[in-house]
Amino acid sequence: MTVYNTKKTFQKKKLFAFDVDGTITPSRGIMDSEMTKLFLKLLEYKKVAIITGGAFADINRQVLQPLNLPNHLKKNLILLPTNGGGLWVFNNEWQEIASHKFTEDEKQKITEVLIEVNNADQKLKNNICYGQKIQDRESQITYAALGEYAPIELKLAWDPDLKKRIALQHKLQRKLPEFEVKIGGKTSIDITPKGMDKAYAIKKVMEYLKQPKEEVLFIGDAVYENGNDFPVQQAGIETIKVNGPEETKERLIKLLTNISS
């Protein structure tokens, strides 16, 4: 769905939802000073939801610490780590008011399948690894082919045409049909409980805020088939696809001009 940069379009939106990696930060990076200024201004006017495959600790490092929000603006921010596996709001402190986590048996099965698939592919097995390949985020298990903290230039070069991630996704879907298996970041696959994706997350925050979908705008970089932002568009939410944080800044500048003019 295309969003037109008109004052009327932006004024009717009450909730602005964002992906993190590749949208408001570089992969696994933190918000820069320009992005934080734009978010501070947006939060003066609107409710903002952060929807990411990362855990709450990742949101804290990548978003909350750089923003350093005053308390009155924290109340306009809703956090949905692990694609809605948790919902966090600020009430004197950050509190998780809803969660949906894997059982230990589910974690064990997913981890065993990931190890099996990784070890069966010599290219995957022999990749130089920067940090953990398999990350337990309680309500999501993420597989990162080069490790959690691989340099961004290596991530961008590893699978520029998506072929490796799509092939890996298909292998895992066949072995884990009872779970959601989505392409996450530039080198990663996210596995969540069935039905838990970013559409689930955005519906969760809409229910919490009692916000109809006509008043919601989502911005993300993985709005393509197999991408973990694509379910939001499929749910009928007005969506902007961006190619990285710099394009997000450009969109926000236009957006804020329309809100404040």
Side-chain angles (χ1 to χ4, degrees):
M1 226 176 260
T2 302
V3 176
Y4 299 97
N5 292 315
T6 66
K7 185 175 181 179
K8 183 178 179 181
T9 297
F10 289 126
Q11 283 184 334
K12 74 180 181 181
K13 302 300 178 185
K14 309 299 182 185
L15 170 64
F16 291 80
F18 295 84
D19 168 53
V20 177
D21 289 335
T23 299
I24 61 174
T25 75
S27 180
R28 305 299 296 167
I30 65 171
M31 292 177 76
D32 66 21
S33 60
E34 186 180 6
M35 189 71 80
T36 59
K37 288 175 184 176
L38 292 168
F39 261 70
L40 286 166
K41 188 173 181 182
L42 181 62
L43 283 160
E44 291 279 1
Y45 294 97
K46 303 288 182 178
K47 295 287 187 181
V48 173
I50 298 295
I51 302 176
T52 175
F56 177 81
D58 298 311
I59 298 177
N60 186 48
R61 178 182 63 85
Q62 294 179 271
V63 179
L64 295 181
Q65 291 180 12
L67 273 175
N68 192 25
L69 290 171
N71 284 353
H72 76 282
L73 291 186
K74 289 177 183 176
K75 295 182 182 298
N76 283 341
L77 184 62
I78 302 96
L79 309 176
L80 294 107
T82 57
N83 294 319
L87 190 153
W88 293 69
V89 298
F90 187 79
N91 184 16
N92 296 319
E93 63 180 3
W94 287 105
Q95 298 176 343
E96 186 178 32
I97 61 171
S99 66
H100 182 171
K101 302 186 188 309
F102 281 127
T103 66
E104 291 304 314
D105 286 345
E106 288 173 328
K107 288 183 186 180
Q108 182 177 348
K109 179 174 182 179
I110 294 166
T111 301
E112 287 175 353
V113 167
L114 287 171
I115 292 170
E116 175 193 336
V117 170
N118 179 81
N119 291 345
D121 185 322
Q122 288 303 308
K123 289 183 179 179
L124 288 176
K125 185 178 180 181
N126 295 330
N127 280 334
I128 296 174
C129 190
Y130 299 82
Q132 293 183 333
K133 278 189 174 182
I134 300 172
Q135 302 141 43
D136 178 0
R137 297 174 178 172
E138 297 295 337
S139 51
Q140 176 175 297
I141 307 291
T142 294
Y143 173 86
L146 302 182
E148 187 175 7
Y149 298 113
I152 185 62
E153 61 272 14
L154 295 184
K155 288 185 176 185
L156 292 173
W158 184 71
D159 185 29
D161 57 6
L162 280 171
K163 289 181 179 178
K164 293 177 183 177
R165 281 170 289 169
I166 290 173
L168 182 56
Q169 180 195 29
H170 289 169
K171 286 180 186 177
L172 293 170
Q173 281 178 327
R174 288 193 294 271
K175 292 178 177 292
L176 298 167
E178 68 272 43
F179 301 105
E180 296 288 346
V181 181
K182 299 289 185 185
I183 292 172
K186 301 301 181 184
T187 66
S188 63
I189 301 290
D190 295 334
I191 301 168
T192 59
K194 200 71 173 177
M196 186 183 292
D197 55 20
K198 287 192 179 175
Y200 168 89
I202 207 159
K203 288 173 185 174
K204 198 168 180 178
V205 71
M206 285 163 54
E207 288 171 3
Y208 172 73
L209 294 172
K210 297 180 172 58
Q211 211 83 59
K213 67 181 180 181
E214 293 78 16
E215 295 179 352
V216 181
L217 176 67
F218 177 80
I219 299 176
D221 68 313
V223 187
Y224 48 75
E225 190 172 359
N226 299 305
N228 66 357
D229 295 331
F230 189 55
V232 178
Q233 188 181 66
Q234 290 181 304
I237 304 299
E238 207 160 5
T239 302
I240 294 177
K241 181 188 182 305
V242 295
N243 292 317
E246 293 307 312
E247 185 175 354
T248 301
K249 291 175 190 175
E250 293 171 9
R251 297 284 190 163
L252 280 174
I253 288 167
K254 292 177 181 178
L255 160 65
L256 291 165
T257 298
N258 283 302
I259 287 176
S260 57
S261 61

